[in-house]
Amino acid sequence: MKLGKITSTALASGFLAFGALSAAAQDDPIQVLFTNVNIFDGVSESLLENASVLVEGNLIKTISTQSIDAGDAQLIDGGGRTLMPGFIDNHVHLMLPGPTLPSMEANSTWEDLAIAGVASAEMYLMQGFTTVRDAGGQNAGLQRAINAGTVVGPRIYPSAAFLGSRGGHADFANYTSPVGESSNFSRLNMAQEVDNAADTHKFARNNFRMGASQLKYMQSGGVVSAFDPWQLLAGSQSELDAVVQVASEYGSYVMAHSYRKEAIMNALESGVMSIEHGFEYDCEIGALMEEKGAYITTNLTAFDPNLFDIPAIRDVPASLRKAQSATAAFGNYLDNMRECPAKRGHHTDCVGTVGACNIQIAYEKHLANEFFGAHTSLVAMTSIGGEIAAMTGDFMNPYPDGKLGVIEEGAYADILLIDGNPLEDFSVVGTGSEWHTAEPRPESPETINLIMKDGVIYKNTLN
């Protein structure tokens, strides 16, 4: 077995970190045979019991309830544990460490942001996320470093710079910044102001040049942001059409930050395929999403009863007012999603330190189960995320050789071994029942015994 970087914290926790080189790149692909496991395949409502899974290189070769003859394969006895796909988070911001957007704009160098990104990437992987979709602020540098084995982290689908209008949710410039002047975020291609179709074409194409696999457009405002009411309908129809056009040129798609129903409907009619947040979701939107084959991802912490205790909301009068009006407007989301379920992916949307995001990730998992139940939450964290990843198409998909988010023959070997049945006890996926009052969480949940990504084992507490 190839051996790579092992950190002191990993050793202390019993982790085994492997792999500067892809298993698929070797002349004689390594085989790993999992036996005595119960499989959640990312879709089914029950587990396939007493099964075996053979991994060859970085793909799943064989799944069987009969014994598999694998010769010299490394043998891992699952001991009746649940084997399932690695988790997928469809909305992360690895390069936004906080504490606030103005402080990142004014006081952060590229080194500060890069170091935070490396630490966040390793944390996500150790929490069981083998794939993440970065929803703005990250070009392809961290992805390349992870793919090369230089640093440890999940597969990344970058969106590069946020695209949005002056005064909108992608405008992170200082308050006194003149119109048209570059900002720290624009110089680093983390956010770009687009105020006409020509700007949109230029910066959208530049995002693909910088390694984006899909595009992110800021169509609505936000709550914890400086200039934009959440009700904002930002960007003209020509600008929205332009970003969709560029994504289509590359065979990929657009994800849109959309709160209001009008914004969501406009986005879907223009060809946007992934609605982010989508808080005014209702059954009419659900019907149009089904017609278009579109997806939605929503941060469920927005419905947390303790939302107003967040310092960034509680201590900023403008944000508190926005949060109060938003909460009143978004109150039907959960009921509407239960009545008319859409294809919904898991979404954490943490901006902050590694420790704070570790807590928020666990709490987001907890809320998903509380609101929608175990099976729906597991599907959102696995196969739906894989379908969203596949929308990047034949030539922008950075990982085109197998499916993600499923346990099936020919899929990528992104695998977790969980001590327990998550369909019956969802806590075994690493949930946390508290958010802002929570104690620091462990580097990796004890119930996740093994983490494999791309056929490489990064954690193994079994043997």
Side-chain angles (χ1 to χ4, degrees):
M1 176 65 72
K2 54 194 180 303
L3 188 63
K5 165 181 170 286
I6 304 179
T7 66
S8 58
T9 54
L11 285 171
S13 305
F15 298 163
L16 297 178
F18 296 83
L21 298 176
S22 167
Q26 299 187 33
D27 293 334
D28 298 313
I30 290 172
Q31 290 187 326
V32 179
L33 178 60
F34 296 93
T35 63
N36 192 19
V37 294
N38 302 319
I39 298 174
F40 172 68
D41 61 6
V43 178
S44 301
E45 296 186 11
S46 60
L47 303 183
L48 177 65
E49 298 183 348
N50 300 318
S52 296
V53 175
L54 177 63
V55 170
E56 183 174 271
N58 65 339
L59 302 176
I60 296 172
K61 183 177 182 180
T62 308
I63 301 170
S64 180
T65 54
Q66 305 297 318
S67 62
I68 298 175
D69 182 7
D72 296 329
Q74 178 189 358
L75 181 63
I76 297 178
D77 184 347
R81 291 171 175 81
T82 300
L83 184 148
M84 66 174 293
F87 305 140
I88 299 175
D89 194 325
N90 296 282
H91 194 116
V92 307
H93 297 290
L94 299 183
M95 291 294 190
L96 300 182
T100 66
L101 292 170
S103 69
M104 285 187 285
E105 166 62 30
N107 302 318
S108 295
T109 69
W110 67 264
E111 294 104 327
D112 297 318
L113 301 173
I115 290 168
V118 168
S120 293
E122 183 168 3
M123 180 273 291
Y124 267 93
L125 182 61
M126 290 299 103
Q127 295 303 310
F129 288 89
T130 53
T131 298
V132 299
R133 181 179 61 163
D134 193 271
Q138 180 181 170
N139 300 291
L142 181 56
Q143 178 204 65
R144 290 195 297 268
I146 291 171
N147 291 349
T150 306
V151 299
V152 172
R155 302 176 190 274
I156 299 178
Y157 282 77
S159 299
F162 300 94
L163 302 176
S165 62
R166 174 79 172 179
H169 203 56
D171 184 353
F172 304 133
N174 293 325
Y175 179 67
T176 56
S177 176
V179 174
E181 185 169 304
S182 63
S183 66
N184 190 28
F185 274 22
S186 68
R187 286 189 295 270
L188 297 173
N189 200 52
M190 297 178 67
Q192 299 291 359
E193 181 181 318
V194 293
D195 287 313
N196 52 58
D199 280 351
T200 305
H201 283 133
K202 176 173 64 177
F203 287 113
R205 289 171 178 143
N206 187 62
N207 275 351
F208 282 122
R209 182 179 183 273
M210 297 299 290
S213 49
Q214 67 283 320
L215 299 175
K216 171 74 175 295
Y217 186 74
M218 298 300 228
Q219 190 188 15
S220 293
V223 173
V224 186
S225 46
F227 312 118
D228 48 324
W230 68 262
Q231 300 94 334
L232 179 68
L233 290 174
S236 66
Q237 187 63 47
S238 64
E239 290 158 25
L240 188 58
D241 290 344
V243 71
V244 171
Q245 176 196 331
V246 173
S248 298
E249 292 171 357
Y250 283 82
S252 186
Y253 72 97
V254 174
M255 53 194 297
H257 169 103
S258 306
Y259 281 15
R260 285 177 56 182
K261 179 176 180 177
E262 184 177 352
I264 297 168
M265 297 293 280
N266 287 346
L268 292 170
E269 292 288 6
S270 294
V272 169
M273 294 301 293
S274 182
I275 300 297
E276 305 306 297
H277 311 292
F279 293 132
E280 286 197 336
Y281 176 87
D282 62 14
C283 292
E284 184 180 5
I285 293 172
L288 184 58
M289 285 182 60
E290 184 175 6
E291 176 187 330
K292 301 290 186 178
Y295 294 79
I296 188 170
T297 82
T298 305
N299 47 317
L300 301 177
T301 47
F303 308 108
D304 177 64
N306 301 308
L307 185 67
F308 298 145
D309 293 333
I310 300 173
I313 292 177
R314 181 195 63 208
D315 300 338
V316 181
S319 292
L320 180 59
R321 287 193 298 271
K322 288 200 287 184
Q324 289 168 338
S325 66
T327 298
F330 304 158
N332 293 325
Y333 173 94
L334 296 173
D335 288 340
N336 290 337
M337 186 60 71
R338 295 184 190 108
E339 180 182 352
C340 305
K343 292 186 290 186
R344 181 180 55 83
H346 186 82
H347 167 151
T348 301
D349 193 23
C350 185
V351 174
T353 65
V354 170
C357 287
N358 190 342
I359 291 170
Q360 185 171 331
I361 288 166
Y363 191 58
E364 183 71 29
K365 292 176 183 176
H366 165 78
L367 290 179
N369 181 51
E370 288 290 304
F371 294 152
F372 297 109
H375 177 258
T376 298
S377 300
L378 290 171
V379 170
M381 292 171 68
T382 56
S383 60
I384 293 294
E387 292 176 18
I388 292 172
M391 288 198 298
T392 52
D394 293 335
F395 43 91
M396 296 313 297
N397 188 346
Y399 309 104
D401 296 331
K403 284 187 178 181
L404 294 170
V406 292
I407 301 298
E408 64 179 56
E409 293 177 359
Y412 277 116
D414 292 3
I415 291 171
L416 307 178
L417 276 185
I418 307 288
D419 190 5
N421 181 351
L423 290 169
E424 297 176 354
D425 177 7
F426 195 74
S427 69
V428 297
V429 304
T431 65
S433 59
E434 296 183 34
W435 189 5
H436 299 289
T437 58
E439 296 292 325
R441 290 189 55 79
E443 189 172 338
S444 187
E446 292 183 3
T447 50
I448 301 180
N449 298 132
L450 181 141
I451 300 171
M452 170 183 278
K453 187 202 79 176
D454 207 41
V456 177
I457 297 173
Y458 290 87
K459 174 185 178 181
N460 183 2
T461 61
L462 297 179
N463 51 29

